[in-house]
Amino acid sequence: MPIIKNDDGTVSVEFGTGDIKIGSGMMFDEERGLVTFIEQEPKPIGYYEKQAEKQVDLAVYPVHLVFKNTDSLDVLIERLIKTRKYMTGELDVWND
């Protein structure tokens, strides 16, 4: 199961098998950016499927990231890039 609600109240989202659909868009107020995650039948990683509806019911998506400004989005992108460098060995997580 790729999206796991842990006993301590945290949520883990495990990527890498194509069974998480990642969506992107804007909140209804059109001022905040949105990234959503929901489980799906496995598909090739990176598979793109255009959302049929312009608005979605967020209650259907168990995990959403909401960004009030692009600075907060930039920080997440930077951390993802750094994590990629750890995974590829470009950076050493213990000596960074």
Side-chain angles (χ1 to χ4, degrees):
M1 182 184 304
I3 300 175
I4 303 157
K5 293 179 182 175
N6 301 304
D7 292 337
D8 63 2
T10 61
V11 175
S12 297
V13 182
E14 189 167 323
F15 299 92
T17 57
D19 52 0
I20 297 177
K21 181 178 181 178
I22 304 172
S24 60
M26 297 294 289
M27 292 292 289
F28 301 119
D29 59 19
E30 296 186 9
E31 294 178 4
R32 296 174 290 159
L34 173 69
V35 178
T36 58
F37 303 89
I38 190 169
E39 293 179 27
Q40 68 178 5
E41 287 299 314
K43 293 186 166 76
I45 294 173
Y47 175 82
Y48 179 77
E49 180 177 66
K50 184 151 179 76
Q51 181 72 29
E53 310 88 35
K54 286 227 176 238
Q55 295 184 347
V56 297
D57 179 3
L58 290 182
V60 173
Y61 294 85
V63 179
H64 8 76
L65 306 178
V66 180
F67 299 91
K68 291 185 177 185
N69 56 57
T70 57
D71 291 339
S72 58
L73 180 59
D74 289 340
V75 171
L76 176 61
I77 292 168
E78 184 272 330
R79 297 299 190 276
L80 290 170
I81 291 169
K82 194 168 199 173
T83 300
R84 186 180 198 291
K85 289 178 179 180
Y86 290 144
M87 292 178 73
T88 63
E90 188 177 337
L91 288 176
D92 181 354
V93 69
W94 305 113
N95 294 314
D96 183 31

